[in-house]
DNA sequence: CAGGCTATATATAACTG
DNA sequence: TCAGTTATATATAGCCT
């Protein structure tokens, strides 16, 4: 598409790579916009340069919102470690300890009341703990979803293999013999299937 | 780029639109791949046809994981609208508007600064939006996990049936005929692993 | 309806100032 | 380093099967 054909592999020259990035990014975003308008579909494009700069296109707000949310989640995940450290730095070794302290202090509030300084301090403490906790929560949920997705993928593959297997068997056997197989409810001596798929 | 120039506006003829979609989608995904390789950047593209079919490209795993997660939420777009409505209640028509307002106001802070009242107001606004948003996020994640669990259960049952089926076949057939079955490469019912959760 | 086939419109690699 | 120019490589609109 230029003076000469380029193979699709990482451009070695840093400058050329940067220039190509600017041009192609523009092109890609333009095309994304075009297809979304011409074909009336929702499109989202996210480009993150290796310097961490973000460029994006999205055809509608909800999609954008979605991707932004995702983005912030990913960011959060990366920051989890940092956040944990922050929590540690703030002087509490465990969440439980912080909670205990907080509760104690809140109880004391009824008695004599905390000073403004104490309150500010407490607020910051709680804020930090909250951030930490939220990040952890998000992390755990995402992790769980990821695992489930992987499991699902695995199961789908297994299923496919099994179906293929049945198809092979049918192919290698007279069709009429097989065609009226009992529905696969029949419980037959649970013999392990000898095929090793993975 | 074709026999004649087309203006960038929704293609009226349904068939043409569909054809253009297929072609341009392919082109867009190709370009996304190219730029990601050539320029060594992370790219994600999500295309959702108006019939709800999903097409995507992503240049790396973490991004893929994120988009897959997003994918599981595609069906929940309706719920996002609800979320936006929540934001509307708080006085802004869209989340975007809220963000814009916030950003504008924060920028102005450098110039003349907001009054304390303004800041308190803004804080409350953001707090409200944030609470709703977090609730929605948690809801979506839990929902997604639930659906994945159900899906897993279903797949396990299907797998069981298929295994039983194979067992039945083996039982009803001479074992030596089956013992050296060809590896299950045969492609059957090959449906895309796009997950429709909702 | 998906998959080729051109003629053209676009995108862009290398060049230029 | 950057924007503009130009020669080519690509993408694709309208056809056709």
């Amino acid at each position: 598409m230029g003076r000469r054909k380029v193979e699709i592999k990482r451009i070695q020259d840093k400058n050329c790579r940067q220039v190509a990035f600017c041009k192609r990014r523009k092109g890609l975003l333009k095309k994304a916009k075009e297809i979304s308008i011409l074909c009336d579909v929702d499109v989202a494009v996210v480009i993150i340069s290796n310097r961490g700069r973000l460029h994006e296109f999205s055809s509608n707000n909800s999609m954008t919102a979605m991707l932004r949310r995702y983005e912030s989640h990913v960011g959060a995940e990366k920051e989890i470690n940092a956040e944990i450290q922050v929590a540690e730095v703030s002087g509490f070794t465990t969440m439980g300890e912080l909670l205990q302290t907080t509760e104690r202090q809140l109880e004391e509030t009824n008695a004599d009341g905390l000073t403004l300084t104490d309150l500010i301090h407490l607020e910051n403490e709680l804020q930090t703990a909250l951030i930490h906790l939220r990040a952890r929560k998000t992390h755990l949920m995402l992790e769980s979803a990821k695992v489930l997705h992987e499991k699902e993928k695995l199961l789908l593959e297994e299923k496919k293999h099994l179906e293929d297997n049945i198809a092979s068997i049918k192919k290698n056997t007279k069709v009429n013999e097989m065609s009226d197989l009992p529905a696969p409810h029949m419980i037959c001596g649970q013999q392990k299937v000898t095929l090793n798929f993975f």
Side-chain angles (χ1 to χ4, degrees), chain A:
Chain A
M1 218 143 154
R3 296 299 182 94
R4 72 179 178 75
K5 182 180 170 68
V6 292
E7 351 170 37
I8 303 304
K9 57 186 289 190
R10 184 189 147 100
I11 296 170
Q12 288 305 317
D13 181 70
K14 195 181 165 188
N15 195 36
C16 288
R17 194 164 69 240
Q18 176 57 27
V19 172
F21 177 57
C22 285
K23 292 183 173 184
R24 280 176 172 267
R25 169 162 46 80
K26 191 178 151 202
L28 185 68
L29 294 177
K30 184 181 175 191
K31 292 237 164 255
K33 184 172 186 176
E34 287 182 356
I35 193 176
S36 75
I37 295 174
L38 285 169
C39 309
D40 192 25
V41 295
D42 286 341
V43 177
V45 177
V46 177
I47 307 171
I48 301 176
S49 73
N50 38 25
R51 288 188 220 157
R53 203 146 198 84
L54 174 75
H55 305 268
E56 67 165 280
F57 165 79
S58 78
S59 57
N60 74 48
N61 291 330
S62 65
M63 181 76 86
T64 310
M66 206 63 170
L67 290 179
R68 275 193 200 294
R69 219 167 302 145
Y70 157 74
E71 192 188 327
S72 63
H73 286 184
V74 169
E77 264 182 274
K78 283 181 190 167
E79 287 168 30
I80 286 177
N81 292 328
E83 277 162 14
I84 289 173
Q85 285 181 342
V86 168
E88 280 169 6
V89 168
S90 81
F92 296 95
T93 47
T94 66
M95 216 52 152
E97 195 180 327
L98 174 57
L99 280 175
Q100 280 188 334
T101 307
T102 306
E103 277 169 19
R104 199 180 327 114
Q105 289 185 326
L106 284 176
E107 276 168 21
E108 284 171 9
T109 308
N110 291 333
D112 19 51
L114 297 170
T115 67
L116 180 55
T117 311
D118 287 344
L119 284 175
I120 291 174
H121 186 64
L122 190 55
E123 180 190 5
N124 289 335
E125 221 100 88
L126 287 174
Q127 190 73 36
T128 303
L130 193 55
I131 289 171
H132 178 194
L133 188 135
R134 286 213 186 95
R136 174 73 107 220
K137 169 184 143 191
T138 300
H139 176 71
L140 288 178
M141 294 180 96
L142 289 179
E143 206 53 41
S144 154
K146 191 177 145 201
V147 170
L148 282 169
H149 271 298
E150 278 162 11
K151 250 185 186 168
E152 181 183 28
K153 199 177 153 198
L154 217 66
L155 282 169
L156 282 172
E157 278 171 23
E158 282 187 32
K159 186 183 160 194
K160 172 135 187 325
H161 281 302
L162 288 170
E163 281 170 348
D164 289 354
N165 205 345
I166 289 178
S168 302
I169 292 173
K170 287 196 177 179
K171 200 184 178 186
N172 292 352
T173 315
K174 283 181 184 175
V175 175
N176 54 359
E177 265 187 279
M178 294 293 112
S179 59
D180 53 359
L181 264 179
H185 294 309
M186 187 178 160
I187 296 157
C188 45
Q190 206 41 308
Q191 62 179 21
K192 180 127 181 73
V193 180
T194 51
L195 307 172
N196 292 321
F197 295 127
F198 299 98

